[in-house]
Amino acid sequence: MAARKRMALALLAQGNGLHPASWIAAGGPTDCSNDISYFADMARLAEKGLFDLFFVADTPAARTDNLDAWSRYTPYMNCFEPITLLTALAGVTSRIGLGGTASTSFYEPYNIARLYASLDHISHGRGAWNVVTSGNNYAARNFGEDKLPPHAKRYARAKEFVEVVKALWDTYDDDAIVYDRERGVYFDPAKFHVLDHQGEFFKMHSALNIARCPQGQPVIIQAGASNAGKELAAETAEVVFNSDDELADAKAYCDDVKGRTAKFGRTPADIRVLAGFTPTIGESKWEAEDKYRQLQELIHPLVGKVRVASDLEADVSDLDPDQPIPLDRIPQSANLHTRYFEQIVDMIKNQKLTLRQLWQRYERGNKRVLGTAADVADTMQEWFEAGACDGFMMIFPTLPGGLESFVARVVPELQRRGLYRTAYEGRTLREHLGLKRPASRYARETMKAAG
Ligand SMILES: Cc1cc2nc3c(=O)[nH]c(=O)nc-3n(C[C@H](O)[C@H](O)[C@H](O)COP(=O)(O)O)c2cc1C
C-alpha cells in the first residue's frame, strides 16, 4: 500500500505576529523585531513542530508618509533583512527549511544567485527564495523611481530574472571542484560554465563564484495570484503560496496553477501549493473567538484605514469609518497585489460593510479559523483531503503564542490522524517537501546527447 501523503507546513515569521495589533496585545515581547535570540527560539520551536519551512516575507522599504498611522503598525517599519536573518538562523537550527523574499524589481540576478547559493551552502541544503515583483511604491522610491513599473513589465523582468538566476546556479557541475593537490588543479574547467545572456532586461557574460548548491538549486517559491503570477509559478516555482479563504476557490487556484505546468515541460508533482491559514486556538470555540475579537478591537482607526487603502489602492483617509466606502472610490484594476485587491473589492461590493467593519473583517486572504485544536485540525484535514493544497503557510495572529499552542496541541492531533510527519526523514528542504533535486542544465544536455 502506498504511504499516505503528508501535509507540508511553513511558518510565516514576523515580530509579534501577523495581526496589526499584535505588538500592543498584552503578554507579547515588545522588543523582539531586532532580537536574534527571539527569532532563534521561534525557529527552534517550529523545528520542534517538524515544520518544513521557516519563512520571512519582505518589502525593501519603510513607509515614508502618513507616519501617524504607520507609527502604530510596525512590520514594515522595523524588521531584519531576510537573507541576513536566515543565515544567522542556519547556525542555530539543523533541519527546518529557511526561505525568504527578495524582489526581482530591485535586485540584480547576480546578487540573488550568490546570496541564496550561500544560504543553501551555509544551511546544508535548506535555502529557498520567494520570488516577488513587489507591491508598493515606497520600494520604487528607494531605487531611483517614482513608482513601480506596470504589473506586466514587472512580471516580464521577473521571468527573465529567474531564468538567469537558475542558469547561474548551474555554473559549476556537481563534481566540478576536484581539489586535486597532486596536479595543482582546484576545479575542472570543462565542468565550469560561463553564461552568455542577452535578453530584454539583462545582458550578462557571467559565472557564479560559488560551487553548486547542496540542493542543486535552492527551492523557488512564488505567490502571484494574477494571470502573469500564475504563469510564472507554473513555469518556475516549486512552492506556491495561496491566499484564498474559501475551499472551492483554493482548490480552483491549486488546480489552475498545477494545470499550467505541462506547457512548461513540468508536472503537477513539481509544485507544492501551501494555503495561507490563520488559526486562533482556544480551549473552546468561544474562547478563541473572544481572543480574536479583543485583538480586532485594538486596531487603531488610522491603522484600519491605511490597511484598507494599501490593498484597495485608493485613499480612504477622509471617509467616515461608520459609513460604507462609496463605490466610486474603487479603482478600475490593481497594479500592486491583485488577489488582495480583488478580495477587498468583493467585500465592499457584496457585504455592504461600513469602513470600520471592513478593516475588522478583512484578512488579506487566508483561511481564518477560530476554535479548539480539534476544530483547527478538522479544517486543515478537510482542505488537504479535498486537494485544495499540499500543506499550509501558517500565519499566526500573535507570535510566539500562536505557534506555541499550535505545536503543543494541533501538531499531535494532525500526527494522530496520520496527516503529518512524526519525525524529519530527510535533511534538505527538498527532501522534506518531496521535491526532486534538479540536474544541472549542462548535465541534462550531456545526458540527452548521449541518448
Ligand atoms: C504567504 C504569502 C507571502 C507573501 N510574501 C510576500 C513578500 O514577502 N513580499 C511581497 O512583496 N509580496 C508577498 N506576497 C504577495 C504576493 O507575492 C503578491 O501577490 C504578488 O507579489 C503580487 O503579484 P500578483 O499581482 O500576481 O498577485 C506574499 C503572498 C503570500 C500569499
Side-chain angles (χ1 to χ4, degrees):
M1 202 173 80
R4 186 166 187 191
K5 208 178 132 210
R6 304 271 166 79
M7 64 175 66
L9 290 183
L11 170 71
L12 182 50
Q14 178 176 290
N16 293 88
L18 277 294
H19 191 278
S22 58
W23 76 275
I24 40 177
T30 50
D31 57 354
C32 57
S33 288
N34 308 124
D35 181 355
I36 185 61
S37 52
Y38 171 81
F39 282 95
D41 287 346
M42 194 173 359
R44 283 189 290 244
L45 178 58
E47 193 167 66
K48 184 174 159 220
L50 306 172
F51 275 51
D52 296 71
L53 177 69
F54 182 97
F55 174 76
V56 187
D58 192 52
T59 185
R63 275 40 179 161
T64 49
D65 54 9
N66 221 346
L67 293 182
D68 213 14
W70 294 115
S71 64
R72 298 165 195 280
Y73 181 34
T74 58
Y76 303 119
M77 305 306 283
N78 180 25
C79 55
F80 284 130
E81 186 287 311
I83 308 167
T84 314
L85 171 59
L86 295 169
T87 305
L89 295 178
V92 296
T93 54
S94 60
R95 292 296 188 93
I96 193 165
L98 299 166
T101 296
S103 173
T104 54
S105 299
F106 303 114
Y107 269 98
E108 286 289 317
Y110 199 85
N111 306 122
I112 290 294
R114 237 188 136 189
L115 286 163
Y116 283 89
S118 298
L119 174 64
D120 204 52
H121 278 284
I122 291 167
S123 64
H124 303 290
R126 296 184 284 137
W129 168 36
N130 180 34
V131 179
V132 302
T133 64
S134 287
N136 68 78
N137 291 322
Y138 303 97
R141 295 194 283 263
N142 288 339
F143 299 91
E145 302 294 336
D146 293 330
K147 55 184 185 152
L148 288 175
H151 192 267
K153 189 157 184 204
R154 297 204 306 277
Y155 268 107
R157 178 179 158 106
K159 180 176 153 63
E160 189 181 330
F161 194 117
V162 176
E163 274 165 27
V164 173
V165 168
K166 291 180 74 163
L168 286 171
W169 281 335
D170 286 345
T171 295
Y172 280 100
D173 289 350
D174 282 312
D175 57 353
I177 303 189
V178 291
Y179 314 101
D180 188 336
R181 283 185 169 152
E182 268 176 32
R183 287 194 304 133
V185 173
Y186 185 75
F187 70 90
D188 178 350
K191 296 182 175 178
F192 179 86
H193 308 278
V194 178
L195 173 71
D196 271 306
H197 174 85
Q198 169 87 64
E200 186 185 347
F201 298 92
F202 306 108
K203 176 173 184 290
M204 299 171 74
H205 176 76
S206 185
L208 199 62
N209 52 355
I210 184 163
R212 196 148 192 277
C213 295
Q215 295 190 100
Q217 300 188 346
V219 172
I220 299 229
I221 307 173
Q222 220 272 329
S226 60
N227 187 54
K230 286 187 276 199
E231 286 287 291
L232 184 65
E235 184 173 358
T236 62
E238 301 171 286
V239 172
V240 175
F241 299 150
N242 179 28
S243 52
D244 281 303
D245 54 357
E246 296 290 340
L247 191 156
D249 295 339
K251 173 141 181 53
Y253 177 90
C254 191
D255 292 346
D256 184 4
V257 169
K258 291 188 176 188
R260 295 173 189 238
T261 51
K263 67 179 176 227
F264 300 110
R266 306 181 74 209
T267 71
D270 295 331
I271 292 186
R272 301 284 171 275
V273 175
L274 305 186
F277 194 78
T278 298
T280 298
I281 303 160
E283 290 299 331
S284 64
K285 191 166 170 50
W286 177 86
E287 189 196 292
E289 284 171 356
D290 193 52
K291 253 196 224 177
Y292 197 75
R293 185 188 49 74
Q294 287 181 30
L295 266 182
Q296 293 296 79
E297 284 171 2
L298 288 175
I299 301 177
H300 191 281
L302 287 173
V303 174
K305 283 186 172 183
V306 90
R307 288 183 80 225
V308 168
S310 299
D311 287 349
L312 186 60
E313 302 186 27
D315 183 17
V316 296
S317 57
D318 59 316
L319 297 181
D320 179 346
D322 295 311
Q323 294 294 325
I325 297 182
L327 295 184
D328 61 12
R329 280 293 164 102
I330 303 175
Q332 290 295 318
S333 61
N335 187 40
L336 304 177
H337 295 285
T338 309
R339 176 51 55 93
Y340 304 150
F341 175 81
E342 285 169 358
Q343 282 170 340
I344 206 163
V345 169
D346 182 65
M347 287 177 80
I348 294 168
K349 287 190 174 160
N350 298 320
Q351 296 188 23
K352 310 273 179 276
L353 306 171
T354 65
L355 174 53
R356 189 188 307 277
Q357 287 167 331
L358 182 67
W359 80 57
Q360 291 195 343
R361 290 189 207 172
Y362 173 62
E363 191 65 68
R364 263 208 162 186
N366 312 321
K367 176 66 183 165
R368 182 170 64 199
V369 176
L370 312 173
T372 62
D375 295 333
V376 170
D378 284 349
T379 307
M380 294 175 81
Q381 180 164 7
E382 187 191 7
W383 277 48
F384 182 64
E385 290 183 344
C389 58
D390 301 299
F392 297 89
M393 163 54 85
M394 303 305 301
I395 304 176
F396 295 105
T398 57
L399 286 167
L403 177 64
E404 284 164 358
S405 314
F406 184 83
V407 169
R409 293 150 74 183
V410 181
V411 164
E413 183 64 32
L414 295 172
Q415 288 169 329
R416 235 185 329 271
R417 299 180 188 195
L419 294 165
Y420 189 55
R421 64 168 66 87
T422 52
Y424 285 114
E425 281 147 16
R427 289 249 157 222
T428 68
L429 175 58
R430 286 185 181 280
E431 286 166 355
H432 303 334
L433 293 167
L435 292 169
K436 59 178 186 261
R437 185 180 188 277
S440 151
R441 69 204 50 223
Y442 306 104
R444 281 201 307 267
E445 278 166 21
T446 313
M447 279 184 318
K448 223 157 114 192

